[in-house]
Amino acid sequence: MFKLDVLKKPSFDQVFSREIKHEGVELTLTVKADEAFLAASEQVRQLQEREATLKATDRLKRGYVSAFEATIFMIGEYIIEKWNVEDCEGKAVPINGENLEVVINNINEPMQFVEKLLNEFNECASEFSKAANEIKKKPSTATSGKSKK
């Protein structure tokens, strides 16, 4: 009997995390194999490629979200696992991209926070990518690569 479970792709369940503390905000970034995150990161990559081809004047009058804005939103939606942000009534603020932008806009030194956020995210993403590439199946050397006729 032929079983398809033999053909399963190798699983990748590693998780890469970083802690950030800035002006009382504490959050945990977590990068893991998640289809929604991978799709969002592909969209951000395409935005980055699009912006790289634009002239500086065209970037100023764009009618779409920049790659930077999309990256911040993606981090809020898919990468922040937990944070200690509360509203004025002491209730926990939901973690999402829009609320991350609100947090950034209410910090005294927003650029320092964004720099920390992006640096730690890039470190996690780099570790994730390196580990994921290591488990990919290498091509078989048992054949010449040519199809049989």
Side-chain angles (χ1 to χ4, degrees):
M1 174 177 275
F2 182 76
K3 293 186 178 185
L4 288 178
D5 60 349
V6 178
L7 301 175
K8 286 183 183 175
K9 291 181 183 179
S11 65
F12 183 71
D13 56 359
Q14 288 183 295
V15 175
F16 300 91
S17 296
R18 291 278 195 289
E19 301 283 328
I20 295 178
K21 295 180 182 180
H22 185 84
E23 293 184 20
V25 176
E26 297 178 14
L27 54 88
T28 302
L29 304 177
T30 301
V31 175
K32 57 187 173 189
D34 174 50
E35 292 299 321
F37 162 66
L38 296 174
S41 63
E42 176 61 21
Q43 293 294 316
V44 169
R45 187 191 63 74
Q46 289 174 9
L47 276 173
Q48 290 168 335
E49 287 178 0
R50 179 179 178 185
E51 284 194 351
T53 63
L54 295 175
K55 293 183 229 168
T57 55
D58 291 339
R59 280 191 217 120
L60 294 174
K61 56 185 175 182
R62 69 175 163 253
Y64 59 90
V65 174
S66 72
F68 174 78
E69 293 166 317
T71 301
I72 296 297
F73 192 82
M74 177 186 67
I75 291 171
E77 290 291 322
Y78 305 108
I79 303 301
I80 297 176
E81 182 178 330
K82 62 182 176 179
W83 67 10
N84 67 339
V85 179
E86 297 177 345
D87 64 15
C88 60
E89 297 174 358
K91 295 179 183 174
V93 173
I95 301 170
N96 59 46
E98 289 178 23
N99 286 340
L100 177 57
E101 289 179 6
V102 171
V103 168
I104 291 169
N105 290 328
N106 283 283
I107 286 181
N108 291 329
E109 298 289 337
M111 291 314 295
Q112 289 178 355
F113 176 72
V114 168
E115 186 177 339
K116 276 185 191 178
L117 183 69
L118 292 175
N119 287 341
E120 295 299 332
F121 166 68
N122 287 331
E123 286 293 318
C124 280
S126 178
E127 289 177 12
F128 172 83
S129 181
K130 191 181 295 183
N133 285 332
E134 287 176 6
I135 70 156
K136 285 184 179 175
K137 186 175 181 180
K138 295 182 180 176
S140 173
T141 57
T143 66
S144 66
K146 295 181 180 179
S147 62
K148 297 178 184 179
K149 293 185 178 185

